[in-house]
Amino acid sequence: MRFVLPLGLAFALAAPAVAGPQAERYIDDHSSPERVVVSLYNAINRGEYLRAWSYFKADTAPPLGDFSAGYADTTQVELRLGEVQTEGAAGSIHSLVPIALQATGKDGTVTVFTGCYRLTQVQPGAQAEPPFRPIQIDDGRLEKSDAPFDEAMGRCEAP
């Protein structure tokens, strides 16, 4: 299943473990899978949907219009990241990043989501032709959760 976001879900800036809405700071960090997810949420929280969309691998990215429209009714999201699982294979590094999100809608409703992102990086030393391909999101899944945000966490299946 391709990455699907519930309508009305927006993302906020996130630090490596816990974060809230801090859209005034610009973050565009490709140094680790966790920081790519943080950068994704930072871009969405700032309303920079094209930048957010660019963190996805081109052939697995959701349609930009649908992606952007999904955030119309959300004012902020807090993010928590779980323990990252990483595995190398055939010149690539695959990572799974479990997450929990707490989304606040324009009407004040708060909804918790849990999920997992799958990210891939072609080994930097193996890349000899432009353009350089940084860590990219291959897939992501989010589901509504009944757990409180401070207890919720997504689960990832090994790649």
Side-chain angles (χ1 to χ4, degrees), residues 2 9 15 28 36 62 69 73 91 107 118 129 134 139 143 149:
R2 293 187 69 194
L9 177 62
D28 182 21
V36 170
D73 295 328
D107 64 359
R118 181 178 189 273
E129 300 286 326
D139 190 27
E143 297 179 356
F149 177 60

Side-chain angles (χ1 to χ4, degrees), residues 57-132:
K57 189 174 172 188
D59 61 346
T60 62
L64 178 58
D66 294 346
F67 181 79
S68 300
Y71 305 100
D73 295 328
T74 304
T75 59
Q76 71 178 31
V77 171
E78 293 180 63
L79 169 69
R80 287 188 322 111
L81 301 175
E83 185 175 335
V84 176
Q85 302 170 43
T86 301
E87 177 180 287
S92 295
I93 301 168
H94 303 284
S95 301
L96 297 173
V97 181
I99 64 166
L101 301 172
Q102 179 171 275
T104 303
K106 288 181 178 178
D107 64 359
T109 60
V110 175
T111 307
V112 175
F113 296 89
T114 59
C116 180
Y117 285 101
R118 181 178 189 273
L119 297 93
T120 300
Q121 178 181 26
V122 175
Q123 292 280 4
Q127 296 188 51
E129 300 286 326
F132 178 79

